[in-house]
Amino acid sequence: MRTPLIAGNWKMFKTAAEAAAFAEEFKTLYKDTDVKTAICAPFVHLAQLKAAFEGTGIGVGAQNAHYEDEGAYTGEISVMMLEDMGIDYCVIGHSERRQYFAETDETVNKKLKRLFAGPIIPILCVGENLDQREKEEQYAVVKEQLVGGLADISAADAAKLVIAYEPVWAIGTGKTATPEQAEDMCEYIRNTMEELYNEEVADAVIIQYGGSVKPANATDIMNMSNIDGALVGGASLKANDFIEIIDF
Ligand code: 13P
């Protein structure tokens, strides 16, 4: 049985005071359930959120990390530094990082390998853009991202992975993939994991859908058999909305 993971991705939002206010409100609303949850926040808020969520079961994630432990990489934060803070998850290969910050399947692969050397669980983002979907290239695009991102990663590690299917055309646009479209690709991802590894890995891997997930559409999405959770952008910024999604 896979335990669903519903994670918030705050992207580049919130001041320290806003993050603290969210944490206080979210803690009072949150009830420990069968669904795991986490907030993936800007680096500057991670220590504060770790302290605020201690003992609650609410996880804390980063949105990126560098694969080298240390070095002359101005402006970067390493996986080692996140491990030192006890961070639970790290988003890797988000489409915004691929689009604006030159993230490639090769850098994704290096980051995943480094993360698997420690306890932080990677959330690997894959997904096609609108042009690719219109040309019906979505399966080929997602497969290439999986093959490249997971190159030389063992089955034992791959089984621990969280994969977030985020069609770029559905991110921040209010245009959600239909539950059927999301399920179709999540099933394709699971089948691809079986092809790349084996049935056990395919059964174990957590596959999230992301892209305009809101309280109003969370139930239909979460009820799909191959969808084990959600990666929530905008709707994770408000404690009330995010709680409603977790309680789908
Ligand atoms: P939205 O939920 O705002 O569409 O963002 C989705 C996303 O990119 C989560 O990583």
Side-chain angles (χ1 to χ4, degrees), residues 166-188:
E166 300 206 308
V168 179
W169 48 271
I171 294 178
T173 57
K175 198 173 165 186
T176 325
T178 64
E180 292 74 23
Q181 280 174 320
E183 167 66 11
D184 173 65
M185 184 57 89
C186 291
E187 185 183 16
Y188 176 78

mmCIF file of all heavy atoms in Angstrom, residues 166-188:
data_model
loop_
_atom_site.group_PDB
_atom_site.id
_atom_site.type_symbol
_atom_site.label_atom_id
_atom_site.label_comp_id
_atom_site.label_asym_id
_atom_site.label_seq_id
_atom_site.Cartn_x
_atom_site.Cartn_y
_atom_site.Cartn_z
ATOM 1 N N GLU A 166 3.687 17.028 -13.677
ATOM 2 C CA GLU A 166 3.176 18.395 -13.741
ATOM 3 C C GLU A 166 3.177 18.884 -15.183
ATOM 4 O O GLU A 166 4.221 19.379 -15.669
ATOM 5 C CB GLU A 166 4.044 19.326 -12.887
ATOM 6 C CG GLU A 166 4.083 18.947 -11.426
ATOM 7 C CD GLU A 166 4.374 20.147 -10.533
ATOM 8 O OE1 GLU A 166 5.364 20.860 -10.790
ATOM 9 O OE2 GLU A 166 3.606 20.374 -9.604
ATOM 10 N N PRO A 167 2.062 18.754 -15.880
ATOM 11 C CA PRO A 167 2.023 19.296 -17.247
ATOM 12 C C PRO A 167 2.178 20.813 -17.187
ATOM 13 O O PRO A 167 1.446 21.479 -16.442
ATOM 14 C CB PRO A 167 0.634 18.891 -17.754
ATOM 15 C CG PRO A 167 -0.174 18.539 -16.551
ATOM 16 C CD PRO A 167 0.780 18.184 -15.454
ATOM 17 N N VAL A 168 3.145 21.341 -17.911
ATOM 18 C CA VAL A 168 3.488 22.761 -17.795
ATOM 19 C C VAL A 168 2.280 23.648 -18.118
ATOM 20 O O VAL A 168 2.085 24.697 -17.505
ATOM 21 C CB VAL A 168 4.698 23.089 -18.710
ATOM 22 C CG1 VAL A 168 5.065 24.565 -18.632
ATOM 23 C CG2 VAL A 168 5.899 22.243 -18.306
ATOM 24 N N TRP A 169 1.457 23.201 -19.036
ATOM 25 C CA TRP A 169 0.289 23.992 -19.450
ATOM 26 C C TRP A 169 -0.770 24.084 -18.352
ATOM 27 O O TRP A 169 -1.700 24.879 -18.463
ATOM 28 C CB TRP A 169 -0.315 23.412 -20.741
ATOM 29 C CG TRP A 169 -0.512 21.927 -20.718
ATOM 30 C CD1 TRP A 169 0.399 20.984 -21.097
ATOM 31 C CD2 TRP A 169 -1.677 21.216 -20.285
ATOM 32 N NE1 TRP A 169 -0.123 19.729 -20.932
ATOM 33 C CE2 TRP A 169 -1.402 19.841 -20.433
ATOM 34 C CE3 TRP A 169 -2.939 21.594 -19.793
ATOM 35 C CZ2 TRP A 169 -2.321 18.852 -20.103
ATOM 36 C CZ3 TRP A 169 -3.851 20.598 -19.470
ATOM 37 C CH2 TRP A 169 -3.543 19.252 -19.626
ATOM 38 N N ALA A 170 -0.633 23.309 -17.308
ATOM 39 C CA ALA A 170 -1.622 23.333 -16.220
ATOM 40 C C ALA A 170 -1.091 24.032 -14.970
ATOM 41 O O ALA A 170 -1.785 24.143 -13.975
ATOM 42 C CB ALA A 170 -2.044 21.909 -15.868
ATOM 43 N N ILE A 171 0.163 24.512 -15.027
ATOM 44 C CA ILE A 171 0.769 25.116 -13.833
ATOM 45 C C ILE A 171 0.437 26.597 -13.756
ATOM 46 O O ILE A 171 0.772 27.357 -14.675
ATOM 47 C CB ILE A 171 2.302 24.919 -13.821
ATOM 48 C CG1 ILE A 171 2.629 23.426 -13.681
ATOM 49 C CG2 ILE A 171 2.944 25.711 -12.694
ATOM 50 C CD1 ILE A 171 4.098 23.105 -13.711
ATOM 51 N N GLY A 172 -0.227 26.978 -12.694
ATOM 52 C CA GLY A 172 -0.508 28.386 -12.448
ATOM 53 C C GLY A 172 -1.450 29.007 -13.471
ATOM 54 O O GLY A 172 -1.592 30.223 -13.534
ATOM 55 N N THR A 173 -2.084 28.182 -14.279
ATOM 56 C CA THR A 173 -2.928 28.697 -15.358
ATOM 57 C C THR A 173 -4.408 28.587 -15.003
ATOM 58 O O THR A 173 -5.248 29.126 -15.711
ATOM 59 C CB THR A 173 -2.708 27.877 -16.645
ATOM 60 O OG1 THR A 173 -2.981 26.496 -16.355
ATOM 61 C CG2 THR A 173 -1.292 28.024 -17.152
ATOM 62 N N GLY A 174 -4.708 27.847 -13.935
ATOM 63 C CA GLY A 174 -6.100 27.588 -13.598
ATOM 64 C C GLY A 174 -6.672 26.500 -14.503
ATOM 65 O O GLY A 174 -7.803 26.065 -14.348
ATOM 66 N N LYS A 175 -5.847 26.046 -15.458
ATOM 67 C CA LYS A 175 -6.282 25.030 -16.419
ATOM 68 C C LYS A 175 -5.776 23.668 -15.917
ATOM 69 O O LYS A 175 -4.604 23.337 -16.099
ATOM 70 C CB LYS A 175 -5.636 25.378 -17.763
ATOM 71 C CG LYS A 175 -6.259 24.740 -18.951
ATOM 72 C CD LYS A 175 -5.599 25.339 -20.191
ATOM 73 C CE LYS A 175 -5.919 24.490 -21.406
ATOM 74 N NZ LYS A 175 -5.193 24.945 -22.587
ATOM 75 N N THR A 176 -6.605 22.933 -15.213
ATOM 76 C CA THR A 176 -6.170 21.644 -14.666
ATOM 77 C C THR A 176 -6.300 20.581 -15.748
ATOM 78 O O THR A 176 -7.228 20.624 -16.550
ATOM 79 C CB THR A 176 -7.105 21.201 -13.521
ATOM 80 O OG1 THR A 176 -7.520 22.355 -12.815
ATOM 81 C CG2 THR A 176 -6.429 20.242 -12.592
ATOM 82 N N ALA A 177 -5.383 19.632 -15.718
ATOM 83 C CA ALA A 177 -5.609 18.443 -16.548
ATOM 84 C C ALA A 177 -6.863 17.774 -16.009
ATOM 85 O O ALA A 177 -7.140 17.854 -14.808
ATOM 86 C CB ALA A 177 -4.407 17.514 -16.423
ATOM 87 N N THR A 178 -7.646 17.139 -16.833
ATOM 88 C CA THR A 178 -8.801 16.414 -16.303
ATOM 89 C C THR A 178 -8.261 15.254 -15.461
ATOM 90 O O THR A 178 -7.127 14.789 -15.693
ATOM 91 C CB THR A 178 -9.690 15.842 -17.421
ATOM 92 O OG1 THR A 178 -8.917 14.873 -18.147
ATOM 93 C CG2 THR A 178 -10.177 16.925 -18.371
ATOM 94 N N PRO A 179 -9.038 14.784 -14.501
ATOM 95 C CA PRO A 179 -8.567 13.638 -13.718
ATOM 96 C C PRO A 179 -8.170 12.468 -14.625
ATOM 97 O O PRO A 179 -7.199 11.764 -14.359
ATOM 98 C CB PRO A 179 -9.776 13.289 -12.852
ATOM 99 C CG PRO A 179 -10.526 14.572 -12.719
ATOM 100 C CD PRO A 179 -10.338 15.286 -14.029
ATOM 101 N N GLU A 180 -8.868 12.307 -15.736
ATOM 102 C CA GLU A 180 -8.562 11.207 -16.672
ATOM 103 C C GLU A 180 -7.217 11.440 -17.370
ATOM 104 O O GLU A 180 -6.429 10.504 -17.525
ATOM 105 C CB GLU A 180 -9.680 11.056 -17.718
ATOM 106 C CG GLU A 180 -11.008 10.553 -17.158
ATOM 107 C CD GLU A 180 -11.772 11.608 -16.349
ATOM 108 O OE1 GLU A 180 -11.541 12.823 -16.548
ATOM 109 O OE2 GLU A 180 -12.593 11.204 -15.502
ATOM 110 N N GLN A 181 -6.966 12.690 -17.773
ATOM 111 C CA GLN A 181 -5.672 12.987 -18.410
ATOM 112 C C GLN A 181 -4.530 12.768 -17.415
ATOM 113 O O GLN A 181 -3.480 12.229 -17.759
ATOM 114 C CB GLN A 181 -5.629 14.451 -18.865
ATOM 115 C CG GLN A 181 -6.350 14.727 -20.167
ATOM 116 C CD GLN A 181 -6.382 16.234 -20.461
ATOM 117 O OE1 GLN A 181 -6.573 17.047 -19.565
ATOM 118 N NE2 GLN A 181 -6.195 16.584 -21.717
ATOM 119 N N ALA A 182 -4.752 13.215 -16.165
ATOM 120 C CA ALA A 182 -3.718 13.066 -15.136
ATOM 121 C C ALA A 182 -3.484 11.583 -14.848
ATOM 122 O O ALA A 182 -2.340 11.126 -14.788
ATOM 123 C CB ALA A 182 -4.137 13.807 -13.864
ATOM 124 N N GLU A 183 -4.566 10.835 -14.708
ATOM 125 C CA GLU A 183 -4.455 9.392 -14.431
ATOM 126 C C GLU A 183 -3.746 8.683 -15.583
ATOM 127 O O GLU A 183 -2.891 7.826 -15.360
ATOM 128 C CB GLU A 183 -5.863 8.805 -14.210
ATOM 129 C CG GLU A 183 -5.969 7.281 -14.226
ATOM 130 C CD GLU A 183 -5.259 6.577 -13.073
ATOM 131 O OE1 GLU A 183 -4.837 7.240 -12.108
ATOM 132 O OE2 GLU A 183 -5.110 5.335 -13.163
ATOM 133 N N ASP A 184 -4.092 9.050 -16.789
ATOM 134 C CA ASP A 184 -3.503 8.416 -17.970
ATOM 135 C C ASP A 184 -1.971 8.558 -17.942
ATOM 136 O O ASP A 184 -1.250 7.584 -18.141
ATOM 137 C CB ASP A 184 -4.105 9.075 -19.223
ATOM 138 C CG ASP A 184 -3.432 8.592 -20.480
ATOM 139 O OD1 ASP A 184 -3.560 7.399 -20.770
ATOM 140 O OD2 ASP A 184 -2.776 9.411 -21.159
ATOM 141 N N MET A 185 -1.485 9.764 -17.646
ATOM 142 C CA MET A 185 -0.038 9.943 -17.639
ATOM 143 C C MET A 185 0.598 9.301 -16.402
ATOM 144 O O MET A 185 1.702 8.755 -16.491
ATOM 145 C CB MET A 185 0.330 11.434 -17.716
ATOM 146 C CG MET A 185 1.815 11.668 -17.819
ATOM 147 S SD MET A 185 2.586 10.838 -19.241
ATOM 148 C CE MET A 185 2.406 12.116 -20.480
ATOM 149 N N CYS A 186 -0.088 9.348 -15.267
ATOM 150 C CA CYS A 186 0.485 8.720 -14.068
ATOM 151 C C CYS A 186 0.579 7.199 -14.264
ATOM 152 O O CYS A 186 1.542 6.569 -13.828
ATOM 153 C CB CYS A 186 -0.316 9.099 -12.829
ATOM 154 S SG CYS A 186 -0.097 10.864 -12.412
ATOM 155 N N GLU A 187 -0.390 6.642 -14.959
ATOM 156 C CA GLU A 187 -0.333 5.207 -15.274
ATOM 157 C C GLU A 187 0.839 4.931 -16.228
ATOM 158 O O GLU A 187 1.577 3.956 -16.068
ATOM 159 C CB GLU A 187 -1.652 4.763 -15.917
ATOM 160 C CG GLU A 187 -1.716 3.277 -16.148
ATOM 161 C CD GLU A 187 -2.997 2.846 -16.846
ATOM 162 O OE1 GLU A 187 -3.713 3.693 -17.417
ATOM 163 O OE2 GLU A 187 -3.268 1.639 -16.819
ATOM 164 N N TYR A 188 1.011 5.825 -17.192
ATOM 165 C CA TYR A 188 2.127 5.674 -18.138
ATOM 166 C C TYR A 188 3.475 5.735 -17.391
ATOM 167 O O TYR A 188 4.388 4.958 -17.655
ATOM 168 C CB TYR A 188 2.066 6.770 -19.208
ATOM 169 C CG TYR A 188 3.233 6.738 -20.145
ATOM 170 C CD1 TYR A 188 3.292 5.809 -21.183
ATOM 171 C CD2 TYR A 188 4.307 7.609 -19.969
ATOM 172 C CE1 TYR A 188 4.390 5.754 -22.023
ATOM 173 C CE2 TYR A 188 5.412 7.559 -20.813
ATOM 174 C CZ TYR A 188 5.443 6.639 -21.837
ATOM 175 O OH TYR A 188 6.538 6.577 -22.664
#
